[in-house]
Amino acid sequence: GGYTMSKRILQALAFVGIFILLIAIANFINLVTAKSTARAKEVGVRKIIGSTWSNLVRQFILENTLLVFITIIVSLGITYGLLSQLNFFLHTIHLQLALQWSDVGLVLLLGLITILLGTLYPALILASFKPLQIMRNNLSIGTDSGFTIRKSLTVFQFSMMQLFIIAAIIVGMQMHFFKNGELGFSTDAVISVRVPQFDKLNEFKNTLLQNKDVIKVSFGSGPPMAVNGFALGTLFRLPNQPGEEG
Protein backbone atom coordinates (compact mmCIF):
# COMPACT_ATOMS: atom_id res chain seq x y z
CA GLY A 1 0.00 0.00 0.00
CA GLY A 2 0.93 3.66 0.18
CA TYR A 3 1.26 3.99 3.94
CA THR A 4 4.60 4.26 5.68
CA MET A 5 5.11 4.19 9.44
CA SER A 6 7.92 5.42 11.62
CA LYS A 7 10.35 2.82 12.90
CA ARG A 8 9.96 4.21 16.43
CA ILE A 9 6.22 3.54 16.34
CA LEU A 10 6.82 -0.06 15.29
CA GLN A 11 9.39 -0.48 18.06
CA ALA A 12 6.97 0.97 20.62
CA LEU A 13 4.24 -1.42 19.50
CA ALA A 14 6.70 -4.31 19.73
CA PHE A 15 7.62 -3.37 23.31
CA VAL A 16 3.94 -3.13 24.22
CA GLY A 17 3.36 -6.60 22.80
CA ILE A 18 6.31 -8.01 24.74
CA PHE A 19 5.05 -6.52 28.01
CA ILE A 20 1.56 -7.90 27.38
CA LEU A 21 3.11 -11.33 26.76
CA LEU A 22 5.11 -11.11 30.00
CA ILE A 23 1.95 -10.15 31.90
CA ALA A 24 0.16 -13.17 30.43
CA ILE A 25 3.06 -15.46 31.41
CA ALA A 26 3.09 -14.11 34.97
CA ASN A 27 -0.68 -14.57 35.20
CA PHE A 28 -0.40 -18.13 33.88
CA ILE A 29 2.28 -19.03 36.43
CA ASN A 30 0.25 -17.57 39.29
CA LEU A 31 -2.89 -19.43 38.22
CA VAL A 32 -1.10 -22.77 37.90
CA THR A 33 0.69 -22.47 41.23
CA ALA A 34 -2.45 -21.20 42.98
CA LYS A 35 -4.44 -24.23 41.77
CA SER A 36 -1.62 -26.69 42.41
CA THR A 37 -3.22 -27.91 45.64
CA ALA A 38 -5.96 -29.52 43.55
CA ARG A 39 -3.35 -31.94 42.17
CA ALA A 40 -1.45 -32.41 45.40
CA LYS A 41 -3.00 -35.80 46.13
CA GLU A 42 -2.18 -36.97 42.60
CA VAL A 43 1.46 -36.02 43.13
CA GLY A 44 1.54 -37.73 46.54
CA VAL A 45 0.03 -40.98 45.24
CA ARG A 46 2.35 -41.08 42.23
CA LYS A 47 5.40 -40.52 44.44
CA ILE A 48 4.29 -43.27 46.81
CA ILE A 49 3.92 -45.82 43.99
CA GLY A 50 7.41 -44.99 42.72
CA SER A 51 7.21 -42.02 40.37
CA THR A 52 10.38 -39.94 40.35
CA TRP A 53 10.76 -36.17 40.56
CA SER A 54 12.04 -35.93 36.97
CA ASN A 55 9.06 -37.90 35.63
CA LEU A 56 6.62 -35.54 37.35
CA VAL A 57 8.44 -32.46 36.07
CA ARG A 58 8.41 -33.87 32.55
CA GLN A 59 4.69 -34.64 32.74
CA PHE A 60 3.69 -31.19 33.99
CA ILE A 61 5.89 -29.45 31.41
CA LEU A 62 4.33 -31.52 28.61
CA GLU A 63 0.81 -30.73 29.84
CA ASN A 64 1.42 -26.98 29.94
CA THR A 65 3.31 -27.12 26.63
CA LEU A 66 0.29 -28.73 24.97
CA LEU A 67 -1.93 -25.98 26.38
CA VAL A 68 0.37 -23.24 25.05
CA PHE A 69 0.62 -24.97 21.65
CA ILE A 70 -3.18 -25.12 21.33
CA THR A 71 -3.32 -21.43 22.25
CA ILE A 72 -0.80 -20.58 19.51
CA ILE A 73 -2.81 -22.46 16.87
CA VAL A 74 -6.05 -20.74 17.89
CA SER A 75 -4.39 -17.30 17.96
CA LEU A 76 -2.92 -17.80 14.46
CA GLY A 77 -6.36 -18.73 13.12
CA ILE A 78 -7.99 -15.70 14.74
CA THR A 79 -5.23 -13.40 13.45
CA TYR A 80 -5.61 -14.72 9.90
CA GLY A 81 -9.36 -14.11 10.00
CA LEU A 82 -9.04 -10.60 11.47
CA LEU A 83 -6.42 -9.58 8.88
CA SER A 84 -8.70 -10.57 6.01
CA GLN A 85 -11.56 -8.59 7.54
CA LEU A 86 -9.27 -5.57 8.10
CA ASN A 87 -8.11 -5.65 4.47
CA PHE A 88 -11.75 -5.78 3.36
CA PHE A 89 -12.82 -2.77 5.43
CA LEU A 90 -9.73 -0.72 4.45
CA HIS A 91 -9.59 -1.73 0.78
CA THR A 92 -9.56 1.93 -0.36
CA ILE A 93 -6.00 2.44 0.92
CA HIS A 94 -4.83 -0.95 -0.30
CA LEU A 95 -3.19 -2.21 2.90
CA GLN A 96 -2.77 -5.85 1.82
CA LEU A 97 -1.87 -7.07 5.30
CA ALA A 98 -0.99 -10.77 5.28
CA LEU A 99 0.35 -13.39 7.66
CA GLN A 100 3.73 -14.42 6.27
CA TRP A 101 5.71 -17.54 7.11
CA SER A 102 8.26 -15.32 8.82
CA ASP A 103 5.46 -14.07 11.10
CA VAL A 104 4.48 -17.66 11.88
CA GLY A 105 8.10 -18.44 12.73
CA LEU A 106 8.26 -15.45 15.05
CA VAL A 107 5.05 -16.56 16.77
CA LEU A 108 6.46 -20.06 17.23
CA LEU A 109 9.68 -18.59 18.68
CA LEU A 110 7.66 -16.49 21.12
CA GLY A 111 5.65 -19.60 21.94
CA LEU A 112 8.85 -21.48 22.75
CA ILE A 113 9.97 -18.64 25.03
CA THR A 114 6.55 -18.70 26.66
CA ILE A 115 6.84 -22.43 27.25
CA LEU A 116 10.28 -22.05 28.85
CA LEU A 117 9.20 -19.18 31.10
CA GLY A 118 5.67 -20.30 31.90
CA THR A 119 5.91 -24.05 32.41
CA LEU A 120 9.21 -24.75 34.15
CA TYR A 121 8.54 -23.03 37.46
CA PRO A 122 4.98 -24.43 37.95
CA ALA A 123 6.27 -27.91 37.11
CA LEU A 124 9.03 -27.60 39.71
CA ILE A 125 6.50 -26.47 42.33
CA LEU A 126 4.11 -29.33 41.62
CA ALA A 127 6.86 -31.94 41.59
CA SER A 128 8.34 -30.68 44.88
CA PHE A 129 5.31 -31.70 47.00
CA LYS A 130 6.19 -34.19 49.74
CA PRO A 131 3.85 -37.18 50.14
CA LEU A 132 3.95 -37.05 53.95
CA GLN A 133 2.83 -33.43 54.03
CA ILE A 134 0.10 -34.14 51.50
CA MET A 135 -1.34 -37.03 53.55
CA ARG A 136 -1.30 -34.86 56.69
CA ASN A 137 -2.95 -31.96 54.84
CA ASN A 138 0.01 -29.84 55.86
CA LEU A 139 0.87 -28.65 52.40
CA SER A 140 2.70 -25.39 51.74
CA ILE A 141 3.13 -24.28 48.15
CA GLY A 142 6.83 -23.82 47.60
CA THR A 143 9.49 -22.56 49.94
CA ASP A 144 10.22 -19.03 51.05
CA SER A 145 11.91 -18.37 47.70
CA GLY A 146 8.81 -19.74 46.00
CA PHE A 147 6.61 -17.28 47.82
CA THR A 148 9.04 -14.52 46.89
CA ILE A 149 8.83 -15.44 43.20
CA ARG A 150 5.04 -15.55 43.28
CA LYS A 151 4.84 -12.20 45.03
CA SER A 152 7.31 -10.69 42.59
CA LEU A 153 5.26 -11.94 39.64
CA THR A 154 2.08 -10.53 41.18
CA VAL A 155 3.70 -7.15 41.79
CA PHE A 156 5.09 -7.10 38.23
CA GLN A 157 1.70 -8.03 36.75
CA PHE A 158 -0.27 -5.35 38.58
CA SER A 159 2.45 -2.73 38.03
CA MET A 160 2.37 -3.30 34.27
CA MET A 161 -1.42 -3.19 34.21
CA GLN A 162 -1.44 0.12 36.08
CA LEU A 163 1.21 1.46 33.70
CA PHE A 164 -0.91 0.54 30.66
CA ILE A 165 -4.05 2.03 32.24
CA ILE A 166 -2.26 5.31 33.01
CA ALA A 167 -0.77 5.39 29.50
CA ALA A 168 -4.21 4.77 27.95
CA ILE A 169 -5.71 7.62 30.02
CA ILE A 170 -2.90 9.99 28.97
CA VAL A 171 -3.26 9.05 25.28
CA GLY A 172 -7.03 9.55 25.51
CA MET A 173 -6.57 12.99 27.05
CA GLN A 174 -4.06 13.94 24.33
CA MET A 175 -6.38 12.79 21.55
CA HIS A 176 -9.23 14.78 23.10
CA PHE A 177 -6.96 17.83 23.23
CA PHE A 178 -5.92 17.35 19.58
CA LYS A 179 -9.57 17.17 18.47
CA ASN A 180 -11.04 19.90 20.69
CA GLY A 181 -8.11 22.16 21.62
CA GLU A 182 -7.95 25.76 20.46
CA LEU A 183 -5.67 26.15 17.42
CA GLY A 184 -5.45 29.94 17.66
CA PHE A 185 -7.36 30.50 14.41
CA SER A 186 -10.72 29.60 12.93
CA THR A 187 -10.65 26.65 10.55
CA ASP A 188 -14.11 27.33 9.07
CA ALA A 189 -14.11 28.25 5.36
CA VAL A 190 -10.30 28.54 5.21
CA ILE A 191 -8.57 27.43 2.02
CA SER A 192 -4.81 27.15 1.57
CA VAL A 193 -3.44 27.22 -1.98
CA ARG A 194 -0.05 27.64 -3.60
CA VAL A 195 0.86 31.03 -5.07
CA PRO A 196 1.23 30.71 -8.85
CA GLN A 197 3.76 33.57 -9.21
CA PHE A 198 5.64 35.14 -6.31
CA ASP A 199 6.36 38.36 -8.24
CA LYS A 200 2.63 39.06 -8.66
CA LEU A 201 1.34 38.62 -5.11
CA ASN A 202 -0.66 41.85 -5.04
CA GLU A 203 -2.35 41.12 -8.39
CA PHE A 204 -3.21 37.63 -7.17
CA LYS A 205 -4.62 39.03 -3.91
CA ASN A 206 -6.74 41.68 -5.69
CA THR A 207 -8.11 39.08 -8.07
CA LEU A 208 -9.22 36.89 -5.18
CA LEU A 209 -10.81 39.80 -3.32
CA GLN A 210 -12.93 40.62 -6.34
CA ASN A 211 -14.85 37.46 -5.58
CA LYS A 212 -17.71 38.33 -3.21
CA ASP A 213 -17.33 34.98 -1.41
CA VAL A 214 -13.73 35.78 -0.40
CA ILE A 215 -13.56 37.87 2.79
CA LYS A 216 -9.81 38.09 3.47
CA VAL A 217 -6.57 36.99 1.83
CA SER A 218 -3.21 36.56 3.54
CA PHE A 219 0.16 35.11 2.59
CA GLY A 220 2.48 32.88 4.56
CA SER A 221 5.56 30.75 4.19
CA GLY A 222 3.55 27.57 4.81
CA PRO A 223 0.26 26.18 6.08
CA PRO A 224 -0.74 27.03 9.68
CA MET A 225 -0.25 23.39 10.73
CA ALA A 226 3.29 23.06 9.45
CA VAL A 227 6.88 22.90 10.69
CA ASN A 228 9.59 24.53 8.54
CA GLY A 229 7.17 24.72 5.65
CA PHE A 230 6.28 21.04 5.71
CA ALA A 231 2.63 20.23 6.38
CA LEU A 232 1.82 17.87 9.22
CA GLY A 233 -0.67 15.05 8.85
CA THR A 234 -1.19 11.68 7.24
CA LEU A 235 -0.51 11.28 3.54
CA PHE A 236 -1.69 8.38 1.46
CA ARG A 237 -2.09 7.60 -2.21
CA LEU A 238 -4.17 5.23 -4.24
CA PRO A 239 -2.53 2.00 -5.53
CA ASN A 240 -2.02 3.40 -9.07
CA GLN A 241 -1.09 6.93 -8.00
CA PRO A 242 2.59 8.05 -8.32
CA GLY A 243 4.51 8.49 -5.10
CA GLU A 244 5.21 12.18 -5.67
CA GLU A 245 1.46 12.84 -5.67
CA GLY A 246 0.90 11.20 -2.27
Side-chain angles (χ1 to χ4, degrees):
Y3 272 110
T4 58
M5 185 173 292
S6 173
K7 185 177 180 180
R8 292 184 178 181
I9 297 178
L10 295 177
Q11 291 175 346
L13 293 176
F15 281 120
V16 170
I18 291 174
F19 277 116
I20 292 176
L21 179 62
L22 292 177
I23 291 173
I25 293 174
N27 186 45
F28 178 76
I29 294 175
N30 288 331
L31 287 176
V32 173
T33 53
K35 294 183 178 181
S36 59
T37 54
R39 306 191 64 178
K41 291 185 179 180
E42 174 190 350
V43 174
V45 171
R46 293 194 58 181
K47 281 192 173 183
I48 290 174
I49 63 178
S51 181
T52 62
W53 177 85
S54 59
N55 290 335
L56 292 174
V57 171
R58 190 181 303 111
Q59 175 192 345
F60 295 136
I61 289 179
L62 289 177
E63 290 178 357
N64 294 327
T65 299
L66 180 61
L67 179 60
V68 174
F69 182 75
I70 294 175
T71 304
I72 292 174
I73 298 300
V74 173
S75 64
L76 287 175
I78 295 176
T79 301
Y80 179 80
L82 291 178
L83 285 179
S84 61
Q85 293 296 321
L86 184 61
N87 290 329
F88 175 77
F89 286 118
L90 300 178
H91 63 279
T92 56
I93 57 178
H94 202 61
L95 279 181
Q96 291 185 342
L97 297 176
L99 190 64
Q100 306 293 336
W101 283 110
S102 58
D103 301 326
V104 176
L106 179 61
V107 171
L108 294 178
L109 177 61
L110 293 176
L112 178 61
I113 297 175
T114 303
I115 291 172
L116 294 176
L117 296 178
T119 63
L120 182 59
Y121 176 70
L124 295 176
I125 292 297
L126 289 170
S128 63
F129 291 159
K130 297 180 181 180
L132 185 59
Q133 292 180 344
I134 296 173
M135 298 307 172
R136 292 179 177 179
N137 291 326
N138 188 21
L139 182 64
S140 60
I141 303 176
T143 60
D144 294 337
S145 59
F147 282 115
T148 302
I149 294 177
R150 290 187 60 195
K151 291 180 180 179
S152 300
L153 292 174
T154 303
V155 171
F156 169 79
Q157 180 181 353
F158 282 98
S159 299
M160 289 297 101
M161 291 302 299
Q162 292 178 8
L163 177 62
F164 284 133
I165 292 174
I166 294 173
I169 294 175
I170 294 176
V171 171
M173 294 174 62
Q174 288 294 318
M175 294 303 298
H176 181 270
F177 176 77
F178 290 155
K179 294 177 62 177
N180 304 314
E182 292 292 336
L183 299 178
F185 62 93
S186 176
T187 59
D188 297 334
V190 176
I191 299 177
S192 177
V193 296
R194 294 181 181 273
V195 177
Q197 295 179 351
F198 287 97
D199 56 346
K200 297 182 178 181
L201 294 180
N202 292 328
E203 290 83 349
F204 181 64
K205 178 179 180 180
N206 294 329
T207 302
L208 293 176
L209 289 176
Q210 292 176 3
N211 191 329
K212 63 179 181 180
D213 296 326
V214 177
I215 300 177
K216 293 181 179 180
V217 177
S218 63
F219 299 100
S221 60
M225 296 297 293
V227 176
N228 296 329
F230 295 96
L232 301 178
T234 300
L235 301 178
F236 71 92
R237 61 182 183 271
L238 298 177
N240 298 325
Q241 187 178 4
E244 57 273 9
E245 299 181 6

